Amino acid sequence: KQWYQRRVAITAGSYGFVGLLGAAVCSVGVALNDGQISADELELAHGHMHWEHKEWNKSYDHKALRRGFQVYKEVCQACHSMQYFYWRMHIDVTHTKEEVKEMAAEYMYPDVDDEGNAIERQGDIQDFMPAPYDNEIKARLANNGAHPPDLTLINVAREGNEDYLFSLLTGYEDVPPGQAEPAEGQAYNPYFHGYYIGMAQQLYNESVDYEDGTIPYQSQIAKDIIQYLAWTAHPWMDEMSMYGMKAVASAAALVIISYIAMRTRRNGIRSRQIHFTVPGHDKSITKNGVVNNFTKYKEVDDSIAKMKR
């Protein structure tokens, strides 16, 4: 018994020591972290905007998509690629087939001839959109070590989607007092993770001359390019919405038809009575129409008749 009590005391003392050690470590961690800022906090929360194309019964604004392509071609294409998107995807969405062919033919693509020799040919609508740099090394050398991301899926690759991109493109500010100056080739943007982004402000008022005469405010330019990037990430969203509405309408019609059929057909079947009679015992059915329990024997019929008297 004394040995058992001694062992319990030692075990309790060990757990007490571990608890004190854990509390001390936590206290030191809190003291060291006091006054420090986590890297996750170095980013201003983006606002929320109403994007009409995200409603279930709406589609992309094709005029805005055409303007967005113009913004990409005149502003973004110098640094950012769209190499996972085909030229042919623009046909009957932003441009006609002839316009897309003409734009694709402005670029040269590497290819091989019939003898296997490397050649360059004019672009075709079946080609991917061209990249501004041959490889990542050249892209970094031209942008102070920063690698401009591909924009094909940028809208779904960033948390916040359209809202984040709009805040990023329109959120450039001067460096606030007390903040470190950005390095060469960087700019201050509170919506970017870490505040310092390797891309200078690109969108200004009237930085693009729209073909359709739309006033090119900075917010309008940002809205158009973001809608275009949303479309490149989900080019079949309009078709999916259309199929979804057709499916819902078909399901609703089937539900209505099923309900009508149940009320007019099935209820009649469920409420009908089936009378079973044996030849020679037709009178076994009572006057009120209620069927006797499958009258089969004369003795049963007679007993029932006597009971009724």
Side-chain angles (χ1 to χ4, degrees):
K1 184 176 180 180
Q2 293 178 355
W3 173 84
Y4 177 75
Q5 292 176 350
R6 195 183 311 114
R7 185 175 181 181
V8 171
I10 294 174
T11 304
S14 300
Y15 281 114
F17 175 76
V18 173
L20 291 175
L21 181 61
V25 171
C26 293
S27 301
V28 172
V30 172
L32 292 177
N33 192 50
D34 188 22
Q36 295 182 357
I37 299 176
S38 173
D40 294 335
E41 300 175 6
L42 297 178
E43 180 180 344
L44 186 64
H46 56 76
H48 177 71
M49 295 185 59
H50 173 71
W51 300 93
E52 189 173 357
H53 66 270
K54 300 186 75 173
E55 298 181 11
W56 69 272
N57 59 341
K58 300 293 183 180
S59 64
Y60 288 112
D61 183 358
H62 288 211
K63 293 183 178 180
L65 296 182
R66 185 183 179 97
R67 294 195 300 266
F69 174 80
Q70 182 181 352
V71 176
Y72 168 76
K73 188 175 181 181
E74 296 182 7
V75 179
C76 309
Q77 192 178 22
C79 298
H80 295 274
S81 62
M82 192 80 71
Q83 57 183 345
Y84 303 109
F85 203 76
Y86 288 100
W87 281 108
R88 67 171 184 265
M89 303 295 291
H90 297 87
I91 297 177
D92 296 333
V93 178
T94 61
H95 298 78
T96 63
K97 186 175 182 179
E98 291 71 20
E99 290 175 330
V100 176
K101 283 186 175 181
E102 184 179 352
M103 290 187 297
E106 297 176 0
Y107 302 92
M108 302 300 294
Y109 287 81
D111 204 347
V112 293
D113 58 14
D114 296 337
E115 299 178 356
N117 299 319
I119 61 173
E120 286 191 347
R121 60 168 177 80
Q122 285 185 332
D124 188 69
I125 59 175
Q126 302 299 331
D127 294 319
F128 287 106
M129 296 180 66
Y133 304 104
D134 296 334
N135 50 61
E136 181 179 345
I137 297 176
K138 290 186 177 181
R140 290 185 181 277
L141 290 175
N143 293 276
N144 296 310
H147 183 211
D150 184 88
L151 298 183
T152 311
L153 301 174
I154 194 68
N155 185 62
V156 295
R158 298 294 183 268
E159 183 180 0
N161 307 123
E162 292 92 343
D163 294 332
Y164 169 75
L165 295 179
F166 184 87
S167 299
L168 182 71
L169 293 176
T170 60
Y172 285 87
E173 298 178 358
D174 295 332
V175 181
Q179 193 80 9
E181 291 294 329
E184 181 181 359
Q186 292 185 335
Y188 180 81
N189 192 320
Y191 296 99
F192 185 73
H193 188 76
Y195 293 162
Y196 299 100
I197 184 173
M199 179 181 70
Q201 183 175 352
Q202 301 295 321
L203 303 184
Y204 299 90
N205 293 334
E206 301 181 355
S207 59
V208 176
D209 187 13
Y210 281 133
E211 300 172 349
D212 59 358
T214 302
I215 301 177
Y217 292 119
Q218 182 195 40
S219 58
Q220 181 66 50
I221 298 173
K223 182 179 179 181
D224 292 337
I225 182 61
I226 291 171
Q227 288 198 57
Y228 176 73
L229 296 178
W231 173 69
T232 59
H234 292 290
W236 297 283
M237 192 190 75
D238 287 351
E239 287 79 2
M240 293 172 61
S241 299
M242 181 180 64
Y243 292 147
M245 287 189 287
K246 288 182 177 180
V248 171
S250 301
L254 289 175
V255 169
I256 294 174
I257 294 173
S258 301
Y259 179 76
I260 295 175
M262 183 187 69
R263 298 292 296 178
T264 58
R265 298 289 183 179
R266 187 165 179 267
N267 283 356
I269 296 174
R270 292 180 62 186
S271 60
R272 70 181 180 179
Q273 292 183 349
I274 301 177
H275 296 174
F276 295 92
T277 59
V278 179
H281 297 273
D282 299 336
K283 296 181 179 180
S284 62
I285 302 177
T286 57
K287 295 180 181 180
N288 58 5
V290 178
V291 181
N292 291 328
N293 296 330
F294 303 99
T295 304
K296 188 175 182 180
Y297 302 101
K298 188 175 185 305
E299 294 81 4
V300 177
D301 296 338
D302 295 339
S303 61
I304 293 176
K306 290 179 181 180
M307 292 174 61
K308 290 183 178 180
R309 294 172 186 171

